[in-house]
Amino acid sequence: MFTGIVEERGEIIARDDLDRAARLQIRGPLVTSDASHGDSIAVNGVCLTVAGLDGDVFSVDVMDETLQRSSLARLGAGSPVNLERAMAADGRFGGHIVQGHVDGVGEVVRIDPTENWTVVRIAVPTELARYVVEKGSITLDGTSLTVSALGEDDGRTWLEVSLIPTTLAETTLGLARTGDPVNLEVDVIAKYVERLTGAGAPHRNEKGE
């Protein structure tokens, strides 16, 4: 489990495309400082397993399912990535519950810089829109953020987040441009609530069977 507090902005230094998979080599001095084979590290919000270590570089294997459901398929050598180690049991819970399971890919549709922060608008896939609420939590490329605004244009739902200078400087969101893909993980609590209230529950007959 993660909290969405990005620890460092790393860099993919190599990518090997395999049969319906890819192996990435990623430089991350901080996250590799105490990493071991088999540990979990979130890469742009995707929970991946450390398959190898070489100094401050770790390697991960990304299966086809993950490539299809996230923006990792579009990344290669030179791409910056947000990195976070799995949360320690005695660690601080600075963000919100983040599983590292990407629900879909959004798109940056607008960037409005101001004197003290930058507002970024993200188009949200239709199937995820019902899980997003104003002032609720959202994970963008592994970064825990608060939804500052929510709306719809031409039948397309969008959300906005307001990014402070620290977030802009220390995560990939500060490098985002209009049209860029963004990994989205909605609040898992919203999905459980939907399930428990019946929207996604199995059908029951009058006897409750």
Side-chain angles (χ1 to χ4, degrees):
M1 187 178 74
F2 306 90
T3 70
I5 304 300
V6 174
E7 295 186 277
E8 68 177 325
R9 193 163 67 191
E11 180 185 1
I12 296 176
I13 63 170
R15 171 178 172 154
D16 295 318
D17 288 310
L18 310 171
D19 180 21
R20 300 185 63 194
R23 171 163 284 204
L24 304 178
Q25 294 183 49
I26 303 169
R27 178 174 287 113
L30 177 58
V31 299
T32 56
S33 62
D34 63 351
S36 300
H37 184 275
D39 283 354
S40 295
I41 295 178
V43 179
N44 273 7
V46 181
C47 178
L48 297 172
T49 300
V50 175
L53 285 164
D54 184 7
D56 63 357
V57 175
F58 67 99
S59 59
V60 292
D61 293 314
V62 188
M63 61 182 179
D64 184 62
E65 172 77 5
T66 303
L67 293 173
Q68 294 296 325
R69 290 181 175 269
S70 74
S71 66
L72 295 185
R74 301 172 174 87
L75 304 184
S79 297
V81 286
N82 293 327
L83 302 175
E84 182 191 355
R85 290 168 290 187
M87 181 185 177
D90 60 349
R92 295 182 184 276
F93 210 127
H96 71 283
I97 298 174
V98 177
Q99 296 180 297
H101 302 160
V102 171
D103 293 301
V105 178
E107 179 186 347
V108 177
V109 293
R110 183 171 172 176
I111 300 175
D112 293 319
T114 69
E115 183 178 358
N116 297 308
W117 65 85
T118 294
V119 178
V120 179
R121 179 174 292 186
I122 308 290
V124 180
T126 302
E127 65 274 15
L128 299 181
R130 65 184 182 274
Y131 300 116
V132 183
V133 296
E134 191 171 343
K135 307 307 179 186
S137 296
I138 190 74
T139 308
L140 304 181
D141 275 351
T143 308
S144 173
L145 295 164
T146 300
V147 177
S148 57
L150 187 64
E152 186 174 307
D153 285 330
D154 299 324
R156 194 180 193 190
T157 300
W158 52 260
L159 65 84
E160 288 183 347
V161 292
S162 299
L163 307 180
I164 61 174
T166 298
T167 304
L168 294 170
E170 298 184 3
T171 76
T172 60
L173 297 176
L175 305 174
R177 298 292 181 267
T178 302
D180 284 353
V182 181
N183 288 330
L184 300 175
E185 182 183 331
V186 299
D187 191 344
V188 66
I189 295 175
K191 292 191 286 186
Y192 277 118
V193 169
E194 178 185 68
R195 179 72 171 179
L196 292 171
T197 55
H203 174 72
R204 294 287 189 271
N205 61 25
E206 294 181 357
K207 296 180 179 180
E209 301 174 340

